[in-house]
Amino acid sequence: MSGVVESGRVAAATGRERIPHAVEPEMTPFVRAIGKFIGIALIAAVAAGVVEGLRSNGGIVDALVRALSTTEVGFAMVLILLGSLVEGFGYGLSLGTKWPYTRNIVILMLRSDPEAAHRVVATLVGLVAVALAILALDVNTLSGLGLIVVTALFGMGTLYVLAGKAPSLVHGIHGLLAYGVFLIFLVNLVYPGMNFWTYLGSMGALHALLFAVLLGGMTTGQRGFGKAIGAFVKPQKASQWTVAAHVSAALLLVATLGWMMPAYPVAFYLAVIQVAVGFLLFHSVNLKPKDPGIMVAFHQGMVLSMSLAIVLVWR
């Protein structure tokens, strides 16, 4: 009885709704600082959209579409980074398996809860996609909106993966779809009028990258919530076999980009560095399985950078 009373006091003190199966991590000054940084990144995405809209040479609708498209790309990047922060700081089940909202989700977001922020920003991404589909309905905006809906549904599934009630493939597909959303709006912004699916079909570099993303998400899902993978030479359990597959996919990405040299030089060098970052992340996960820290976000940031380097052909 005293435990229930204490739980109620904690919930009242933190402003959290009492949710079954929720695991509340520690709110550190570093997490709060990251929360402020995410807020700044969202404002920057809006500001970039405003600038792009003002620079547009078309009419009001064209300018608005350009502005919203730019902001959508920024929001999609923030959303992916928030997902990595959720994992890195142990917030995967901070709202339990309740989805998509709790009655105080905005308050929790303002208090720098990454999972609450992740769901609110996902909503913003969806709303902007609806606006773009209305203003400029084509295969890309319609596909982007559809991908967002499916990604959200798989996002619900990831909660059950972490709770040990769904297969790791669900987590992997969620990550793959999240990058699909980011890429479809990025390509639509950079190459107006190009069919995204035609573009994607011809981009072998992105195929290798997205395959690694899929297996990376499965690696997270395979270990579940707060579980170490364990050091190994020869894989002995499912999570270790998944890590081995993910490493193989990372090496395949390096080989693919190397074979395509000098087409994507920056992406190639980032991929080489990412292999080393991945090993550091592997050790972080084993040392602190519940909250491996900022290395998760850094690892994800490298993937975003590689995606940009490929699509924008950085040299």
Side-chain angles (χ1 to χ4, degrees):
M1 181 67 179
S2 62
V4 174
V5 173
E6 183 62 28
S7 176
R9 288 174 180 169
V10 171
T14 59
R16 286 183 179 275
E17 178 184 356
R18 290 177 59 193
I19 305 170
H21 312 298
V23 178
E24 185 175 348
E26 181 184 3
M27 176 59 71
T28 64
F30 188 52
V31 173
R32 290 193 181 93
I34 290 175
K36 291 182 175 61
F37 174 78
I38 291 298
I40 293 171
L42 291 172
I43 293 171
V46 174
V50 171
V51 171
E52 281 298 309
L54 293 174
R55 290 174 55 188
S56 174
N57 295 323
I60 294 177
V61 173
D62 290 338
L64 186 56
V65 168
R66 184 75 182 176
L68 288 174
S69 297
T70 303
T71 296
E72 182 76 328
V73 171
F75 281 0
M77 292 177 66
V78 170
L79 185 60
I80 291 172
L81 287 175
L82 274 170
S84 64
L85 292 170
V86 166
E87 178 191 352
F89 293 97
Y91 278 80
L93 289 174
S94 69
L95 302 180
T97 52
K98 187 170 183 177
W99 182 91
Y101 308 116
T102 66
R103 64 189 179 194
N104 56 350
I105 193 167
V106 175
I107 294 173
L108 295 176
M109 180 192 70
L110 294 175
R111 292 179 178 178
S112 299
D113 183 316
E115 174 65 0
H118 184 68
R119 298 190 193 186
V120 172
V121 174
T123 301
L124 293 176
V125 169
L127 291 174
V128 175
V130 169
L132 284 170
I134 293 172
L135 292 169
L137 181 62
D138 59 20
V139 65
N140 290 343
T141 56
L142 191 59
S143 296
L145 181 58
L147 280 180
I148 289 169
V149 173
V150 180
T151 304
L153 294 174
F154 272 88
M156 175 181 63
T158 62
L159 301 176
Y160 291 94
V161 174
L162 295 177
K165 299 178 180 179
S168 63
L169 180 61
V170 172
H171 208 293
I173 293 175
H174 175 67
L176 183 64
L177 290 169
Y179 269 90
V181 171
F182 163 61
L183 288 170
I184 199 168
F185 286 106
L186 176 64
V187 170
N188 199 39
L189 177 66
V190 177
Y191 307 112
M194 179 175 289
N195 185 306
F196 171 74
W197 302 108
T198 301
Y199 173 84
L200 182 63
S202 65
M203 293 295 291
L206 285 180
H207 299 167
L209 178 66
L210 292 174
F211 182 53
V213 167
L214 172 67
L215 288 169
M218 289 183 64
T219 299
T220 299
Q222 190 62 247
R223 72 183 187 88
F225 184 76
K227 297 177 183 177
I229 297 170
F232 66 93
V233 175
K234 180 181 178 181
Q236 300 294 328
K237 55 184 180 180
S239 60
Q240 294 177 349
W241 280 108
T242 308
V243 169
H246 181 48
V247 171
S248 299
L251 294 176
L252 176 63
L253 174 61
V254 172
T256 300
L257 292 171
W259 180 69
M260 291 181 171
M261 284 289 278
Y264 307 107
V266 173
F268 170 72
Y269 293 122
L270 287 173
V272 172
I273 296 170
Q274 179 75 317
V275 173
V277 173
F279 279 108
L280 291 176
L281 176 57
F282 175 77
H283 289 295
S284 296
V285 167
N286 284 327
L287 287 172
K288 298 182 67 179
K290 289 187 177 179
D291 54 339
I294 197 66
M295 187 59 70
V296 181
F298 185 73
H299 187 67
Q300 200 68 260
M302 291 285 286
V303 181
L304 282 170
S305 297
M306 279 186 278
S307 302
L308 289 168
I310 291 171
V311 175
L312 302 179
V313 196
W314 287 349
R315 297 185 179 278

